[in-house]
Amino acid sequence: MTSRKPRVVLGVSAGIAAYKVCELLRRLTESGHDVTVVPTEDALRFVGEPTWAALSGNPVSTAVWDGVAQVPHVRLGQGADLVFVAPATADLLARAAHGLADDLLTNTLLTARCPVVFAPAMHTEMWEHPATRANVATLRERGAIVVEPASGRLTGKDTGPGRLPDPAELFEVARRVLARGSAGHDLAGRHVVVSAGGTREPLDPVRFLGNRSSGLQGYALARTAVARGARVTLVAANVALPDPAGARVVPAGSAEDMRKAVLEAAGDADAVVMAAAVADFRPVDYRDSKIKKTEGGEPEPIRLAKNPDILAELGERRRAGQVIVGFAAETDDVLANGRAKLARKRSDLLVVNQVGADLTFGRPDNAAVILGADGSSTEVERGAKEALADVVWDLVAARLDPLPAD
């Protein structure tokens, strides 16, 4: 007996970014989802009904009067496993926040009892307007996930926040939300900070001291946090990966760059997860010109100085109720070294990885033991890095203070 396909209602409102949503639709259908596209009437000015019908394999309608016998304005929301609106314009967000039901899409939003995700796209001024921000806050308070838009080129010559995230990353949000299902969005209303990648300490204009961290684990942590409803700040050091949809990405180069970015973002954060591989040392002297190789001569020794210990500083400066998570990459005496580091850094949790040839760095999978300051120990068998990320957030969520009541 075959299991039914997950049912997704893909809402499309009237924004120029509607053309990008064709790629999101293709990814959903090709991965085995049953997708019904529900555009607004004005959205069809950007992408026509035949395109949505052909890509989804399902009829497309904008009005509550089509197929009245099937009561579509109720049945679509009742039967969906996920409602995903992209692009969500300022007008659509306002109508959804105020409970209006003047077309098939807003009726569907009112009847849906499944997870609802909005992916806003609009000009920067519209996104930053107090009315839009209030509507977004209202939707989040009701349990909807509103993905933060990306920054970049908008319509015409304008540039700034308000760009629809990459369709491949929006698909990852949809996939993760569907995977959680009834588990809910336990990080809704929270701000979390994640660091990822590996810092580089310059030696001269062409060389640096660095490490092999790819940033995959940190990015998995950011993606899963977005899918669980969090507002995510991702401090990324030297990572060649697409920005996770919904995360605010702050680039960093060196350990000092990362320290400044993480400490600034951590000011109002409920949790900070330091998944980045931060260089322990930096060269004392930076050469303004390339260090030359001399014939027959030995290279000059490179003197090193200690870098700031970001995780320890977070532990010292934490605000009340803030949860701090560190990562430890170890090659031997893994658990003993991990427990010592946990105590020394004053973290709540420490994710201990054994690293080495073909282990952890650059791989899509990971295994770890997560040590708690309360003496707990959680072993995570080798699997996808997203699976480890979800376990980390499970443990973080259990340690967060309850949000204040309205």
Side-chain angles (χ1 to χ4, degrees), residues 50-400:
T51 299
W52 298 123
L55 289 174
S56 68
N58 284 318
V60 172
S61 178
T62 65
V64 297
W65 303 110
D66 294 337
V68 171
Q70 286 74 44
V71 199
H73 73 288
V74 173
R75 296 289 181 260
L76 281 172
Q78 287 178 335
D81 298 300
L82 171 67
V83 177
F84 199 112
V85 183
T89 61
D91 175 72
L92 188 283
L93 292 172
R95 289 191 289 141
H98 289 82
L100 300 184
D102 54 355
D103 60 12
L104 187 56
L105 178 53
T106 48
N107 272 271
T108 300
L109 289 170
L110 281 179
T111 58
R113 294 299 178 265
C114 60
V116 177
V117 179
F118 295 90
M122 64 196 74
H123 271 73
T124 302
E125 293 82 0
M126 299 173 76
W127 172 247
E128 294 179 346
H129 194 282
T132 303
R133 304 308 293 171
N135 291 330
V136 168
T138 296
L139 291 168
R140 285 173 172 163
E141 287 169 5
R142 293 177 185 158
I145 295 175
V146 183
V147 175
E148 291 286 316
S151 290
R153 182 70 177 269
L154 305 172
T155 306
K157 297 180 180 180
D158 294 337
T159 300
R163 181 183 176 90
L164 188 73
D166 185 87
E169 289 299 319
L170 290 178
F171 170 71
E172 289 301 317
V173 174
R175 188 177 64 82
R176 291 299 306 154
V177 173
L178 280 165
R180 283 193 61 75
S182 60
H185 313 308
D186 53 355
L187 296 179
R190 307 289 189 175
H191 176 210
V192 302
V193 177
V194 178
S195 70
T199 61
R200 296 177 179 178
E201 308 302 323
L203 285 162
D204 63 24
V206 299
R207 300 184 180 92
F208 60 84
L209 294 178
N211 57 66
R212 297 174 57 197
S213 179
S214 64
L216 288 170
Q217 186 63 70
Y219 274 54
L221 283 156
R223 286 192 184 95
T224 52
V226 169
R228 293 171 77 145
R231 177 167 64 91
V232 180
T233 300
L234 175 63
V235 181
N238 308 297
V239 175
L241 297 170
D243 291 351
R248 182 175 74 92
V249 181
V250 180
S254 66
E256 184 56 39
D257 293 337
M258 177 158 283
R259 173 184 174 273
K260 291 177 181 177
V262 168
L263 291 180
E264 179 178 353
D268 69 341
D270 297 283
V272 183
V273 181
M274 286 294 297
V278 182
D280 293 321
F281 306 100
R282 67 182 184 277
V284 171
D285 300 310
Y286 173 78
R287 304 290 182 89
D288 292 324
S289 57
K290 180 181 174 182
I291 301 171
K292 295 292 187 179
K293 179 173 63 177
T294 58
E295 289 296 329
E298 292 295 321
E300 293 182 20
I302 297 174
R303 295 189 303 133
L304 300 176
K306 278 188 176 182
N307 267 328
D309 190 328
I310 305 172
L311 184 58
E313 191 168 356
L314 285 168
E316 292 171 0
R317 296 173 54 159
R318 73 164 71 204
R319 61 183 183 81
Q322 191 174 62
V323 178
I324 307 294
V325 183
F327 271 65
E330 301 290 346
T331 56
D332 51 77
D333 296 329
V334 174
L335 289 183
N337 287 334
R339 292 188 189 283
K341 182 173 183 177
L342 176 66
R344 192 168 64 251
K345 306 291 186 179
R346 298 200 295 182
S347 300
D348 298 284
L349 296 164
L350 189 74
V351 183
V352 185
N353 300 121
Q354 183 169 8
V355 297
D358 298 322
L359 286 177
T360 303
F361 291 130
R363 291 178 57 103
D365 57 358
N366 205 349
V369 176
I370 306 174
L371 303 176
D374 56 3
S376 62
S377 177
T378 305
E379 185 171 355
V380 183
E381 295 182 356
R382 184 162 296 280
K385 288 186 172 178
E386 284 184 348
L388 174 58
D390 265 327
V391 176
V392 171
W393 291 124
D394 288 344
L395 296 171
V396 169
R399 288 163 169 77
L400 291 170

